[in-house]
């Protein structure tokens, strides 16, 4: 029996007026004139035109350009010539689900709130990255929508000059009601995690109810105009590998990009190679059912191998981190919720940006720390068996 996402009709969403303001006497870098009484129109104009106390005057005198002709400073170029124009920012370690592959059954110790980055600190660091050449930011968690200032974060990040894409990866549990405001606040792309189309299996995997809410969020994202709506599906043998073709079927009539992800090892997720369904096997499964599957042209920095079934509106992708890594074209960096900076998802090395930030480090000093970490990035991550034995953080601490 074919399982599909049912389209929700009669969707009504209202907008709530809200004024955003950021005042931080310790950092002192955002204008204190942004108060709760500020008119929305004037506020938008003020933020768009604000003169930040930070300066990009000391960027490399000889900036390079990536394949899309973006200006990239030496800070973001590693020793192998890779230009890192994509920053993933984890907004929180908290999550409203308890997925087996993300969090150990006993849970995780969360970083105390005072040790997490404030929104002002996130914005200052984001500004440094964007003025150095980052043109895409993805907000992750934990679950980013549990952060109360998520709309405010999107609003201010989207105003950074030079940023082209502001994306978010979410479990979709509370997304539907927040989407209109998030889109209004500048969110340009959304990835929604859904690993099964069977509610009972969803509850088993996540240790929570909410399957219908995730489906509702996928429908809501389509309704408000996101195209494509990306759906992330971690494929695990014996759990959801029998649903691969059901997921592909979702791309038939709707602008959905199904992204099949190989099961990856992280601390506490009891990774086992027997649970891994390799890309080649997933592809073979799809081709047998959909012989009209054809490869699309991928960007050199693309993490996914992208395909389209003839006649389908959406498309299908495979993220092959375990069996066919894409390190040579990697352009991603990660800022964790606690302010640690990570240059590779699977590498244990981290450096704190929070500590020097709170010790009044200058922009140039922060850039030097960032640049040194980027230069230490290895050519490729270890093989999957070595990764499984290497101490790292649980995925919920790193950010999706």
């Amino acid at each position: 029996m074919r399982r599909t996402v049912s389209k929700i009709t009669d969707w009504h969403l209202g907008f709530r007026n809200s004024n955003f303001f950021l005042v931080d006497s310790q950092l002192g870098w955002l204008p204190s004139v942004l108060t709760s009484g500020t008119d929305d129109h004037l506020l938008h104009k003020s933020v768009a035109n604000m003169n930040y106390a930070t300066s990009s005057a000391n960027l490399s005198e000889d900036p390079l350009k990536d394949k899309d002709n973006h200006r990239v400073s030496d800070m973001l170029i590693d020793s192998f010539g890779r230009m890192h124009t994509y920053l993933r920012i984890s907004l929180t370690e908290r999550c409203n689900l308890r997925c087996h592959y993300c969090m150990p059954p006993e849970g995780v110790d969360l970083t105390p709130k005072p040790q997490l980055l404030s929104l002002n600190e996130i914005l200052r660091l984001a500004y440094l990255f964007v003025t150095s050449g980052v043109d895409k930011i993805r907000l992750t968690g934990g679950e980013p929508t549990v952060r109360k200032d998520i709309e405010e974060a999107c609003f201010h990040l989207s105003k950074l000059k030079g940023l082209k894409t502001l994306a978010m990866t979410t479990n979709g549990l509370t997304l539907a009601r927040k989407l209109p405001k998030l889109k209004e606040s500048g969110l340009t792309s959304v990835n929604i995690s859904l690993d099964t189309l069977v509610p009972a299996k969803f509850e088993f995997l996540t240790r929570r109810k909410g399957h219908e809410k995730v489906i509702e969020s996928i429908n809501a994202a389509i309704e408000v105009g996101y195209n494509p709506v990306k759906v992330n599906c971690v494929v695990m043998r014996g759990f959801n590998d029998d649903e691969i073709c059901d997921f592909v079927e979702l791309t038939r009539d709707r602008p959905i990009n199904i992204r099949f992800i190989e099961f990856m090892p992280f601390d506490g997720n009891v990774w086992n190679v027997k649970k891994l369904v390799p890309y080649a096997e997933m592809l073979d499964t799809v081709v047998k059912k959909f012989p009209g599957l054809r490869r699309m042209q991928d960007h050199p920095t693309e993490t996914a191998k992208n395909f389209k079934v003839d006649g389908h509106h959406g498309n299908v992708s495979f993220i092959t981190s375990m069996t066919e890594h894409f390190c040579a074209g990697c352009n991603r960096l990660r800022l964790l919720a606690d302010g640690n900076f990570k240059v590779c998802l699977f590498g244990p090395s981290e450096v704190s940006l929070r500590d020097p930030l709170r010790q009044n480090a200058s922009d140039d000093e922060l850039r030097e720390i960032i640049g040194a970490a980027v230069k230490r990035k290895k050519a490729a991550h270890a093989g999957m068996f070595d990764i499984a034995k290497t101490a790292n953080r649980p995925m919920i601490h790193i950010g999706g």
Side-chain angles (χ1 to χ4, degrees):
M1 180 177 179
R2 181 183 298 167
R3 296 183 291 271
T4 60
V5 177
S6 59
K7 184 177 181 180
I8 295 177
T9 58
D10 230 3
W11 185 255
H12 176 72
L13 295 158
F15 294 92
R16 207 163 42 89
N17 290 327
S18 68
N19 295 311
F20 301 130
F21 59 97
L22 288 170
V23 181
D24 192 321
S25 58
Q26 289 183 328
L27 293 177
W29 75 284
L30 285 175
S32 60
V33 297
L34 300 185
T35 65
S36 57
T38 305
D39 177 79
D40 278 344
H41 173 72
L42 295 177
L43 177 61
H44 282 245
K45 184 176 180 181
S46 176
V47 173
N49 297 319
M50 65 171 59
N51 293 314
Y52 293 90
T54 52
S55 169
S56 59
N58 294 316
L59 293 179
S60 171
E61 295 295 325
D62 184 27
L64 299 177
K65 296 182 180 181
D66 70 2
K67 291 180 174 58
D68 290 327
N69 209 35
H70 302 138
R71 297 171 67 88
V72 181
S73 83
D74 183 67
M75 180 187 94
L76 299 179
I77 303 173
D78 68 13
S79 58
F80 302 95
R82 292 173 296 198
M83 301 181 190
H84 296 79
T85 56
Y86 181 1
L87 177 66
R88 301 174 74 99
I89 301 177
S90 175
L91 295 179
T92 179
E93 296 175 350
R94 294 166 53 228
C95 188
N96 44 13
L97 294 179
R98 296 291 183 271
C99 298
H100 285 263
Y101 58 74
C102 185
M103 185 184 294
E106 67 275 12
V108 296
D109 293 328
L110 299 179
T111 303
K113 188 174 181 180
Q115 296 177 30
L116 299 175
L117 293 179
S118 69
L119 181 53
N120 280 358
E121 291 171 327
I122 290 171
L123 292 175
R124 181 180 175 191
L125 292 173
Y127 175 80
L128 289 179
F129 279 99
V130 173
T131 55
S132 297
V134 163
D135 61 12
K136 179 177 180 177
I137 288 176
R138 178 173 298 279
L139 304 178
T140 69
E143 171 50 38
T145 62
V146 305
R147 184 157 172 154
K148 294 181 180 179
D149 57 4
I150 179 65
E151 294 93 347
E152 189 175 352
C154 288
F155 174 80
H156 288 291
L157 288 168
S158 69
K159 299 302 177 184
L160 293 175
K161 186 177 180 180
L163 188 69
K164 296 182 178 180
T165 302
L166 179 61
M168 182 170 68
T169 296
T170 168
N171 62 32
L173 210 60
T174 63
L175 181 67
R177 60 185 174 84
K178 297 184 178 184
L179 260 180
K181 189 63 180 178
L182 286 169
K183 188 171 186 183
E184 184 187 65
S185 299
L187 187 69
T188 60
S189 177
V190 63
N191 289 42
I192 302 173
S193 297
L194 180 65
D195 302 309
T196 177
L197 300 174
V198 182
K201 289 166 70 172
F202 176 92
E203 189 172 341
F204 169 80
L205 179 69
T206 67
R207 305 183 180 105
R208 296 289 187 274
K209 295 182 182 294
H211 184 266
E212 72 287 347
K213 292 182 179 179
V214 182
I215 299 298
E216 183 181 0
S217 290
I218 294 172
N219 291 329
I222 294 171
E223 292 292 334
V224 300
Y226 286 105
N227 185 358
V229 174
K230 296 182 178 181
V231 176
N232 292 346
C233 177
V234 177
V235 180
M236 292 161 281
R237 191 179 305 282
F239 175 73
N240 62 352
D241 52 328
D242 61 330
E243 298 184 64
I244 290 175
C245 291
D246 293 328
F247 272 99
V248 175
E249 191 63 44
L250 300 183
T251 70
R252 183 178 295 276
D253 301 314
R254 313 187 74 191
I256 292 176
N257 172 210
I258 295 295
R259 298 164 67 83
F260 294 117
I261 303 172
E262 291 181 334
F263 185 37
M264 297 177 284
F266 292 97
D267 280 12
N269 74 348
V270 197
W271 183 85
N272 187 315
V273 69
K274 293 180 180 178
K275 298 179 184 178
L276 171 69
V277 182
Y279 155 61
E281 183 179 333
M282 289 190 278
L283 182 62
D284 186 58
T285 297
V286 176
V287 169
K288 286 179 180 177
K289 178 70 180 292
F290 301 94
L293 187 74
R294 55 184 172 82
R295 185 73 182 267
M296 299 171 65
Q297 182 67 44
D298 299 330
H299 190 276
T301 61
E302 177 65 77
T303 60
K305 295 174 173 62
N306 299 295
F307 294 79
K308 192 175 185 66
V309 179
D310 287 340
H312 282 214
H313 188 66
N315 58 301
V316 179
S317 303
F318 299 87
I319 299 177
T320 63
S321 304
M322 295 295 94
T323 61
E324 293 187 23
H325 70 72
F326 31 81
C327 300
C330 182
N331 68 338
R332 293 155 214 74
L333 301 170
R334 293 172 180 268
L335 178 62
L336 279 55
D338 64 1
N340 274 16
F341 178 55
K342 198 173 178 71
V343 297
C344 176
L345 173 62
F346 299 110
S349 299
E350 299 177 3
V351 61
S352 177
L353 298 182
R354 178 200 64 204
D355 293 346
L357 186 64
R358 294 183 180 180
Q359 293 163 6
N360 299 315
S362 68
D363 288 352
D364 285 344
E365 289 170 331
L366 290 169
R367 288 192 181 100
E368 185 175 348
I369 295 169
I370 294 167
V374 171
K375 294 294 186 293
R376 292 192 296 269
K377 185 170 181 175
K378 296 180 179 180
H381 62 66
M384 60 184 173
F385 294 106
D386 290 327
I387 291 172
K389 294 183 291 185
T390 302
N392 202 348
R393 295 214 216 183
M395 189 60 170
I396 193 168
H397 277 174
I398 299 173

